[in-house]
Amino acid sequence: MNNEIKSRALSEKEASSYICMSRSFLRQARMDGNRENRTPAPPFIKIGRAVRYLREDLDAWLESFVRRTHLYQDERAA
């Protein structure tokens, strides 16, 4: 039997590994917020001084970048 607990709230280090982005990206994105021409920050929560990322928020954030068409098809449609 596997006794490993799957945490719902991930630390910055765990979240960066989960989404395959650097910890510095997460820090910078949190500070910048959602600015024009920047990749928006994934949603995060603060518990005291600790920053945590919820798995379901990270999954939804990643899903928001999925492209269903090829780039050249978008250009011809415009």
Side-chain angles (χ1 to χ4, degrees):
M1 182 164 76
N2 188 357
N3 291 334
E4 182 180 333
I5 296 174
K6 290 280 189 173
S7 178
R8 181 177 172 219
L10 304 176
S11 68
E12 181 183 84
K13 183 177 180 181
E14 293 167 328
S16 70
S17 178
Y18 187 75
I19 65 170
C20 301
M21 300 289 282
S22 68
R23 292 174 73 182
S24 62
F25 164 77
L26 291 174
R27 286 189 202 112
Q28 191 66 44
R30 276 197 316 268
M31 288 189 293
D32 287 347
N34 293 336
R35 291 180 30 195
E36 190 174 334
N37 296 326
R38 297 277 178 118
T39 302
F44 65 94
I45 57 174
K46 288 201 67 165
I47 304 169
R49 291 169 39 179
V51 174
R52 296 291 181 258
Y53 296 86
L54 300 179
R55 280 184 195 273
E56 57 267 25
D57 289 344
L58 293 175
D59 289 336
W61 181 79
L62 287 170
E63 189 66 28
S64 74
F65 294 102
V66 173
R67 295 194 55 101
R68 303 289 183 209
T69 60
H70 295 286
L71 291 176
Y72 78 91
Q73 288 174 327
D74 288 347
E75 292 171 3
R76 290 193 305 182

